[in-house]
Amino acid sequence: MRLALFDLDHTLLPIDSADTWSHFLVRAAGLDEAHYGARIREFARTYKAGCFDVEAYLAFQMGLLAQFPRRRLETWRAEFFRTHVEPALRPEALALVERHRAAGDVLALVTGTHQFVTRPVALAFGIEHLLAVRPEEDAYGEFTGRYSGTHTYLEGKVRAVDEFLAARGERWDGLESLVFYSDSINDLPLLERVAAAGGRAVATHPDAQLRAQAQRRGWQLLELFELVPSHA
């Protein structure tokens, strides 16, 4: 199997979809922007610094979803996609994905941003497989405030790809072709795993820490487009 893995935020998209969605949801729902905005920015700061508390962040994200009925969230998500994601779909990123599709690669989006936000984004890119945090649902399809399964941050991304390969009867050392594109030092575990398996680790719009690692290890550097500053 030929496998192409893509991070999302600041890799295929020039925005951070998780932060942008969080700020959007707070405003749409009429929540306290000073309180919630400060928490969102603090999580963003620690993520960029590489000292990210995954469980605290996921509890925050899942808790936001659980405050509202699913139908209302879906209405807000449609507006969010129209106003924030569609304008951020860059032809260079779409072309990159299409090149891998044309080469016969299996495509997977591997992102920490949860599936409720990223499912429509994966569809927009035509990426069939989405490896992302799964918000837990109750028997009625409403969100519980927890997540289920393997999270997709740090080493969690490696575990998620392990599970994906195992479900398809594949192994890292049996892949015909393998590549992973990411911008963040937080994805170093998966980039290292891909490189160890003989694949290409591509530092795409890398942050300063990842750029230094990529240069030291001889990994490819890629700039597709200009990034958009994080939403405040």
Side-chain angles (χ1 to χ4, degrees):
M1 180 175 75
R2 299 174 56 90
L3 181 60
L5 305 171
F6 304 89
D7 179 44
L8 179 61
D9 300 326
H10 293 160
T11 300
L12 289 183
L13 288 180
I15 63 171
D16 186 307
S17 62
D19 285 359
T20 306
W21 161 256
S22 298
H23 286 291
F24 173 89
L25 180 57
V26 167
R27 291 194 307 273
L31 299 177
D32 183 341
E33 290 193 52
H35 169 72
Y36 282 94
R39 294 199 66 190
I40 295 164
R41 287 188 290 272
E42 178 60 14
F43 282 126
R45 184 193 68 78
T46 57
Y47 181 82
K48 291 174 183 176
C51 54
F52 186 55
D53 187 331
V54 175
E55 295 299 334
Y57 180 67
L58 290 177
F60 174 74
Q61 286 289 331
M62 299 302 104
L64 272 179
L65 291 178
Q67 292 186 51
F68 309 103
R70 179 70 173 263
R71 183 173 296 181
R72 185 179 303 172
L73 286 166
E74 289 175 351
T75 298
W76 285 332
R77 182 180 63 180
E79 181 183 353
F80 170 75
F81 187 86
R82 178 179 58 82
T83 58
H84 290 82
V85 176
E86 282 186 348
L89 294 172
R90 296 290 188 264
E92 300 91 341
L94 292 164
L96 174 65
V97 173
E98 186 54 39
R99 285 196 295 274
H100 282 285
R101 189 189 340 274
D105 294 351
V106 173
L107 310 178
L109 189 61
V110 192
T111 175
T113 307
H114 58 72
Q115 289 189 3
F116 183 73
V117 169
T118 54
R119 179 65 67 187
V121 185
L123 291 173
F125 278 99
I127 297 177
E128 179 181 2
H129 303 287
L130 175 60
L131 310 184
V133 175
R134 295 191 300 275
E136 184 183 74
E137 302 175 19
D138 65 18
Y140 303 98
E142 299 294 333
F143 295 121
T144 67
R146 298 180 294 273
Y147 72 92
S148 61
T150 301
H151 74 66
T152 43
Y153 284 101
L154 303 167
E155 292 81 2
K157 283 196 174 183
V158 179
R159 292 192 293 271
V161 178
D162 284 341
E163 293 167 2
F164 175 76
L165 291 174
R168 299 176 68 91
E170 299 280 355
R171 301 183 310 176
W172 288 97
D173 59 5
L175 295 173
E176 177 187 350
S177 175
L178 175 63
V179 62
F180 176 43
Y181 298 87
S182 177
D183 72 296
S184 174
I185 191 62
N186 293 284
D187 284 344
L188 187 61
L190 183 52
L191 289 161
E192 289 177 329
R193 186 69 186 87
V194 166
R200 285 194 298 129
V202 184
T204 309
H205 317 119
D207 60 32
Q209 294 181 75
L210 180 56
R211 182 177 294 274
Q213 289 286 340
Q215 290 172 334
R216 183 171 68 83
R217 299 165 189 248
W219 292 345
Q220 181 182 348
L221 297 170
L222 177 64
E223 302 288 341
L224 286 172
F225 42 65
E226 288 190 10
L227 302 181
V228 176
S230 295
H231 195 286

